[in-house]
Amino acid sequence: MQRAAIIIIALFCLIASRPAFPLDVSSHRQLLIVVTSSWHDFNASLCRFEQKEAEWVLVGKKVPAVVGERGLGWDPSTAEREPGQPVKREGDLRAPAGLFRLSGAMGFAPLPPAGTTLPFRAIKPGLHCVDDGGSPFYNRIVSEEELSRPAQDLWRSSEQLWQMPDLYRLLLMVDYNGHPPEPGNGSCIFLHIWRGKGQPTTGCTALAEKDVTEIVKWLRPEAVPALVQLPVEVYRQVWRKWGLPDPALLNGKADAEKIPLVD
């Protein structure tokens, strides 16, 4: 009897200790779906979806994208991962896999592209994204103007956003590892302009500039937009449970009578 009680308590502790993860997209009405052929492939494709009358509707066409040089790795907070699947860590050259809210846009222009309704922040000299896991500012975007002490006293490393005009001329902020940030789990994740087709990133997701611009103008804050990134086989395993669009839509093979499409 005592042994049984110990086993029950151990199982309870194991279940309680598993990280929580949003296994559905019911609160989101706009999605960016990025899929790769495998965990280790950096070439990807992106599709846009909007929910209309309880149906996910494909918007526009599938566009090419790239992710981290070493592919994708699970958000460590997810309970979906299986043994042997990679997990995202700081500096591992993987983009995070999972479901992430898109919290706003940034760019080098003082104002966002015409028609943008997302919150927008202009990138100016002195704006950092801190990637030092030992800093209290880890995975935060901070302007030197906000600091009471010199930046070099508060962190050892950061992305100096104003020094990257080619990639960060326009970007979307991906709400990854932020509530609160866990040191070592990865930082400074964006959807930004790519260096070129077939050229991977260090951990972000990147597209052609025209596609980034179109997406930024399309997203609406009231639709609570989110990014979903997964290898295609994993997507096929979880799409029903998470409430994602039918995988057939990702290939343009949907039955038009059953799954409406718009361009």
Side-chain angles (χ1 to χ4, degrees):
M1 186 72 176
Q2 184 179 6
R3 183 180 178 184
I6 292 173
I7 292 174
I8 291 171
I9 292 171
L11 288 172
F12 175 81
C13 292
L14 178 63
I15 293 169
S17 65
R18 293 190 73 180
F21 185 79
L23 294 178
D24 68 79
V25 295
S26 57
S27 62
H28 306 286
R29 299 191 305 281
Q30 284 185 320
L31 294 178
L32 303 181
I33 306 289
V34 173
V35 294
T36 61
S37 65
S38 72
W39 284 108
H40 309 294
D41 189 5
F42 62 74
N43 287 299
S45 61
L46 179 147
C47 292
R48 289 184 284 157
F49 291 91
E50 189 159 18
Q51 197 167 70
K52 295 183 178 180
E53 299 179 356
E55 295 282 353
W56 285 114
V57 178
L58 181 66
V59 178
K61 298 179 180 180
K62 178 171 66 175
V63 298
V66 291
V67 295
E69 182 177 334
R70 296 185 62 201
L72 298 173
W74 274 119
D75 176 355
S77 70
T78 181
E80 291 293 307
R81 65 181 186 270
E82 298 177 0
Q85 293 178 336
V87 178
K88 171 67 184 168
R89 300 295 293 171
E90 184 71 50
D92 64 358
L93 299 179
R94 293 185 184 275
L99 168 65
F100 314 103
R101 184 171 177 176
L102 297 166
S103 54
M106 301 178 67
F108 273 68
L111 296 173
T116 302
T117 58
L118 288 174
F120 179 82
R121 182 172 185 174
I123 296 175
K124 299 178 181 179
L127 192 65
H128 299 254
C129 185
V130 180
D131 56 13
D132 174 10
S135 170
F137 294 92
Y138 178 63
N139 201 22
R140 286 179 53 189
I141 295 173
V142 186
S143 172
E144 292 178 7
E145 297 175 349
E146 305 168 5
L147 303 174
S148 58
R149 294 161 56 191
Q152 58 265 28
D153 294 344
L154 298 170
W155 55 74
R156 293 172 298 176
S157 63
S158 69
E159 287 196 16
Q160 299 179 354
L161 304 183
W162 74 96
Q163 301 280 19
M164 306 176 74
D166 293 341
L167 304 183
Y168 292 169
R169 189 160 49 252
L170 184 64
L171 62 83
L172 284 164
M173 293 180 285
V174 179
D175 193 2
Y176 168 73
N177 188 29
H179 304 292
E182 287 290 335
N185 283 359
S187 60
C188 308
I189 302 299
F190 307 120
L191 189 152
H192 61 71
I193 298 166
W194 63 15
R195 290 184 174 87
K197 187 174 182 180
Q199 298 188 48
T201 72
T202 57
C204 294
T205 301
L207 311 165
E209 183 171 3
K210 64 179 179 60
D211 295 323
V212 175
T213 302
E214 186 173 347
I215 289 169
V216 168
K217 294 167 65 174
W218 171 70
L219 295 174
R220 307 186 316 276
E222 66 271 17
V224 197
L227 170 69
V228 175
Q229 297 194 136
L230 294 169
V232 66
E233 286 303 317
V234 177
Y235 187 95
R236 292 183 182 128
Q237 294 169 11
V238 304
W239 73 276
R240 291 186 186 276
K241 181 164 54 173
W242 291 17
L244 296 169
D246 190 308
L249 282 166
L250 305 181
N251 298 316
K253 297 178 181 178
D255 184 338
E257 295 181 0
K258 296 180 180 179
I259 307 175
L261 305 177
V262 298
D263 189 342

